[in-house]
Amino acid sequence: MTKVAMLIHGEPGHYGASFPDFPGATTGADDLDALYDKAAEMLSFHVGGMLADGLDVPPVRSLDVLQDDPLFREDAADGMAGVLDVDLPRNTVRVNLTMNESDLRRRGGPRDPLGLARPGYQRPAPQVGQVPDGGRRAAKR
């Protein structure tokens, strides 16, 4: 989870949120609890779109650092600052690996013209809080 500074503006029944480190990322809601929920979802979607478009995701600054930014102080003057705990998407990284050919064949799956398995040895990455292999431990050989 990443802690992201959020500016909240509005009045009861009409709240808006913006993010100093993510210009253009805004959302609104009828109450503050809903605003935090919508803001987390929207910001995750926004960052995912940046990554998909090949854009760099800006570094996230703490409130302490932002207080030294005159633009932030001006924007925050008529609102309140909050901190949003959000699970932001990350860049995916492609890796090559070397393994024993017999282990590769044992994984099975569709074969390419050279007879090598492709998706049979790939698995989705575990989500935050999950134990790899669904909590199962590999049997000792």
Side-chain angles (χ1 to χ4, degrees):
M1 297 291 253
T2 304
K3 293 185 183 312
V4 179
M6 175 172 73
L7 288 175
I8 302 168
H9 296 278
E11 55 191 46
H14 305 283
Y15 293 101
S18 62
F19 303 89
D21 293 324
F22 298 94
T26 62
T27 191
D30 295 335
D31 64 69
L32 289 172
D33 291 331
L35 183 67
Y36 271 82
D37 291 339
K38 284 183 73 175
E41 182 179 343
M42 181 281 308
L43 190 57
S44 183
F45 181 77
H46 181 79
V47 170
M50 291 177 71
L51 292 171
D53 291 343
L55 300 173
D56 291 330
V57 176
V60 175
R61 298 174 288 171
S62 69
L63 283 175
D64 284 337
V65 171
L66 283 167
Q67 287 178 347
D68 294 333
D69 181 339
L71 185 58
F72 173 78
R73 286 197 313 267
E74 181 182 329
D75 289 345
D78 63 342
M80 62 180 157
V83 176
L84 184 66
D85 226 3
V86 62
D87 190 14
L88 296 177
R90 305 275 185 219
N91 280 322
T92 56
V93 178
R94 182 181 176 135
V95 297
N96 291 321
L97 64 113
T98 302
M99 63 189 305
N100 186 304
E101 185 178 4
S102 63
D103 290 338
L104 182 61
R105 267 191 253 121
R106 194 175 27 216
R107 288 291 201 177
R111 308 279 176 190
D112 68 14
L114 297 176
L116 298 174
R118 288 189 300 249
Y121 59 88
Q122 298 174 343
R123 331 190 280 221
Q127 297 298 313
V128 174
Q130 286 184 338
V131 176
D133 297 325
R136 298 183 303 272
R137 300 283 180 218
K140 291 187 179 184
R141 296 175 192 223

